[in-house]
């Protein structure tokens, strides 16, 4: 039945449900934004604005597909041309029995029953059913990525909050810097492996490859210890000449919140990646499985690099990698291409790729069922889910907390080094100075 033949009460009920649910979601985001603004959490407010942009883009794509679906599905192509192309699944048998079985097993078969305007021997460039399934994928992709990124960042911030006891301990020794330096050095020596401690002049502490292997395995247990935190904190305070009682822990939290808005977004490059994935995902390639190995490999490499930076600085400070160096020497040369921020871009891609894998798994399960050819290999399907959760655990409890601490060891400090009221004062002073300049 069309709306002109549908009882008015059923139309009103459905319309009311859609409006109420949409208003609840919109009002919830609005009140969350007001609370973040009132509590002066500008970085998180900026992240919320980025989420709203993604949802608005999703709504626009949804509207565009809905309006153009009937027209796109009328573009006809020769069936013989389509049959020669490679597809995600093999063509089914031509017997009517199998074709009917496939149609019945599809929960959205009513969309496929729309009148086919193509002549005999032709078929739509992409069917109405295919557009609807693509529509649902984009929705699942956007929602999964937003929820996945928010959960990962929340767990990482909770992990960083557990380090506050080390910050308090550093403040208790602030009046006696020699005592704090001795405590840090003792804990740093204890932190190193037994082999390195007993063979300070051996190749182990000077060979980058062997040190890298040690750092690779170190990220699987306690990735940051008190010795690491106190040593890197002292290096930061000394390098940037901040006051001894500077709250380094709060600075890390602000810095992590400030960079959350970069992690939660989906850039044009990532959307291009999604399009290329659909282009090359043909039968026999098992692209879903092989691409699921990319984030787990990348997160291990990034975690090992961050651990390597800690070990390098700690070994320099303890004298295990050469002559004794007076204090830590934070610098950009410790990072790839002298760019500490490159780590954030890599973590952003890792989170996106992992969310994409989980989204495609849920979408295939929802739209095509567990018996779909896209899930024929059960081992590959299970592996994708397992690696997805492993990546989230590593990112939440190891990689992101490491990133929050280690990237402060660059040559420059971040904007978050100043508290919000100081930043506002500096901006107001700048505006007043520019106004006076203009007036004179």
């Amino acid at each position: 039945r069309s709306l002109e033949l549908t009882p008015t009460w059923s139309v009103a009920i459905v319309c009311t449900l859609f409006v109420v649910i949409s208003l609840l979601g919109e009002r919830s985001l609005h009140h969350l934004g007001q609370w973040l603004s009132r509590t002066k959490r500008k970085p998180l407010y900026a992240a919320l604005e980025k989420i709203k942009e993604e949802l608005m883009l999703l709504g626009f794509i949804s509207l565009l597909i809905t309006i153009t679906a009937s027209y796109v599905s009328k573009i006809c192509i020769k069936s013989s041309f389509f049959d020669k192309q490679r597809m995600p699944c093999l063509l089914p048998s031509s017997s009517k029995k199998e074709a009917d079985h496939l149609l019945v097993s599809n929960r959205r078969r009513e969309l496929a029953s729309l009148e086919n305007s193509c002549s005999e021997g032709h078929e739509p460039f992409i069917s109405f059913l295919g557009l609807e399934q693509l529509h649902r994928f984009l929705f699942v992709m956007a929602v999964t990525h937003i929820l996945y990124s928010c959960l990962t960042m929340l767990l990482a911030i909770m992990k960083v909050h557990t380090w506050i006891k080390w910050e308090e301990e550093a403040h208790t020794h602030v009046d006696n810097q020699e005592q704090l330096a001795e405590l840090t050095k003792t804990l740093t020596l204890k932190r190193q492996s037994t082999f390195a401690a007993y063979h300070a002049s051996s190749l182990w502490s000077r060979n980058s490859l062997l040190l890298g292997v040690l750092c690779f395995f170190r990220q699987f247990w306690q990735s940051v210890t008190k010795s690491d935190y106190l040593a890197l904190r002292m290096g930061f305070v000394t390098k940037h000449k901040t006051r001894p009682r500077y709250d380094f822990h709060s600075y890390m939290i602000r810095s992590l919140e400030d960079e959350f808005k970069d992690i939660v977004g989906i850039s044009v490059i990532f959307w291009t990646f999604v399009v290329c994935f659909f282009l090359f995902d043909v039968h026999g390639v098992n692209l879903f499985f092989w691409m699921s190995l990319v984030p787990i490999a990348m997160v291990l490499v990034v975690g090992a690099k961050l651990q390597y930076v800690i070990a390098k600085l700690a070994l320099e400070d303890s004298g295990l990698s050469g002559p004794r160096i007076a204090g830590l020497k934070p610098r950009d040369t410790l990072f790839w291409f002298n760019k500490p921020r490159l780590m954030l871009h890599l973590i952003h891609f890792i989170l996106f790729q992992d969310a994409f894998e989980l989204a495609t798994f849920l979408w295939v399960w929802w739209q095509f069922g567990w018996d779909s050819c896209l899930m024929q290999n059960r081992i590959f399907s299970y592996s994708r889910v397992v690696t997805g959760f492993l990546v989230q655990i590593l990112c939440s409890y190891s990689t992101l907390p490491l990133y929050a601490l280690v990237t402060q060891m660059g040559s420059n400090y971040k904007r978050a080094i100043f508290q919000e009221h100081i930043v506002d004062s500096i901006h107001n002073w700048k505006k007043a100075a520019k106004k006076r300049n203009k007036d004179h």
Side-chain angles (χ1 to χ4, degrees), residues 41-74:
R41 298 173 180 266
K42 290 185 178 180
L44 293 181
Y45 182 79
L48 181 63
E49 291 298 313
K50 183 65 72 70
I51 291 175
K52 288 182 179 179
E53 289 177 11
E54 295 300 328
L55 293 175
M56 187 174 68
L57 177 62
L58 172 66
F60 183 77
I61 294 174
S62 175
L63 178 64
L64 193 61
I65 291 177
T66 303
I67 293 174
T68 61
S70 58
Y71 301 101
V72 174
S73 61
K74 291 178 181 178

Side-chain angles (χ1 to χ4, degrees), residues 413-433:
Y413 53 77
K414 300 179 182 179
R415 172 184 175 276
I417 194 171
F418 300 112
Q419 295 182 354
E420 283 300 327
H421 68 278
I422 298 177
V423 174
D424 292 340
S425 299
I426 293 175
H427 282 312
N428 292 334
W429 172 81
K430 178 182 176 182
K431 288 179 182 178

Side-chain angles (χ1 to χ4, degrees), residues 89-101:
C89 294
L90 293 176
L91 282 172
S93 173
S94 59
S95 67
K96 187 176 184 303
K97 181 178 179 181
E98 291 190 11
D100 288 342
H101 174 71

Side-chain angles (χ1 to χ4, degrees), residues 17-200:
L17 287 175
F18 283 141
V19 171
V20 169
I21 293 172
S22 299
L23 283 176
L24 284 175
E26 190 274 334
R27 288 289 92 188
S28 299
L29 292 177
H30 176 71
H31 288 302
L32 177 60
Q34 283 187 326
W35 179 77
L36 292 174
S37 180
R38 191 167 57 250
T39 55
K40 300 188 181 301
R41 298 173 180 266
K42 290 185 178 180
L44 293 181
Y45 182 79
L48 181 63
E49 291 298 313
K50 183 65 72 70
I51 291 175
K52 288 182 179 179
E53 289 177 11
E54 295 300 328
L55 293 175
M56 187 174 68
L57 177 62
L58 172 66
F60 183 77
I61 294 174
S62 175
L63 178 64
L64 193 61
I65 291 177
T66 303
I67 293 174
T68 61
S70 58
Y71 301 101
V72 174
S73 61
K74 291 178 181 178
I75 302 174
C76 300
I77 300 292
K78 283 186 178 181
S79 298
S80 57
F81 174 75
F82 260 9
D83 293 343
K84 295 176 184 177
Q85 308 303 313
R86 300 193 67 183
M87 298 170 244
C89 294
L90 293 176
L91 282 172
S93 173
S94 59
S95 67
K96 187 176 184 303
K97 181 178 179 181
E98 291 190 11
D100 288 342
H101 174 71
L102 287 173
L103 188 63
V104 171
S105 65
N106 195 311
R107 292 172 296 175
R108 300 291 181 265
R109 60 187 182 278
E110 67 275 4
L111 295 174
S113 66
L114 293 176
E115 182 182 359
N116 187 357
S117 60
C118 296
S119 59
E120 188 177 352
H122 292 72
E123 58 187 90
F125 182 73
I126 182 169
S127 67
F128 199 92
L129 173 62
L131 285 170
E132 185 64 21
Q133 290 168 343
L134 181 62
H135 188 179
R136 294 191 181 101
F137 167 75
L138 294 174
F139 172 79
V140 173
M141 174 67 239
V143 172
T144 304
H145 179 255
I146 290 173
L147 293 179
Y148 182 90
S149 301
C150 291
L151 178 60
T152 304
M153 182 60 72
L154 175 63
L155 294 174
I157 291 177
M158 290 173 61
K159 176 67 175 178
V160 175
H161 267 295
T162 62
W163 301 344
I164 194 170
K165 57 182 180 292
W166 299 336
E167 182 72 21
E168 293 171 352
E169 184 171 347
H171 287 183
T172 59
H173 295 284
V174 74
D175 295 328
N176 191 342
Q177 289 298 308
E178 292 183 2
Q179 183 181 355
L180 179 60
E182 188 60 32
L183 172 65
T184 302
K185 181 182 175 183
T186 302
L187 291 171
T188 301
L189 287 168
K190 186 178 178 182
R191 164 70 162 156
Q192 308 311 317
S193 66
T194 304
F195 185 84
Y198 278 100
H199 304 275

Side-chain angles (χ1 to χ4, degrees), residues 352-372:
F352 170 79
Q353 172 63 21
D354 203 41
F356 176 75
E357 283 295 326
L358 292 176
T360 50
F361 176 82
L362 295 173
W363 172 68
V364 170
W365 192 7
W366 176 29
Q367 290 298 293
F368 307 105
W370 192 248
D371 296 326
S372 168

Side-chain angles (χ1 to χ4, degrees), residues 183-254:
L183 172 65
T184 302
K185 181 182 175 183
T186 302
L187 291 171
T188 301
L189 287 168
K190 186 178 178 182
R191 164 70 162 156
Q192 308 311 317
S193 66
T194 304
F195 185 84
Y198 278 100
H199 304 275
S201 60
S202 69
L203 291 176
W204 177 264
S205 58
R206 300 186 182 186
N207 189 300
S208 298
L209 179 61
L210 295 177
L211 185 60
V213 172
L214 177 65
C215 293
F216 177 83
F217 290 104
R218 182 174 286 171
Q219 63 182 311
F220 295 110
W221 54 89
Q222 192 176 8
S223 57
V224 177
T225 63
K226 180 167 42 171
S227 63
D228 298 330
Y229 183 87
L230 293 177
L232 298 185
R233 180 190 181 279
M234 181 179 292
F236 178 87
V237 170
T238 305
K239 169 73 177 178
H240 300 297
K241 298 178 175 58
T242 62
R243 64 185 189 278
R245 290 187 179 276
Y246 179 73
D247 194 345
F248 179 68
H249 183 267
S250 296
Y251 163 59
M252 279 197 308
I253 296 291
R254 291 196 303 272

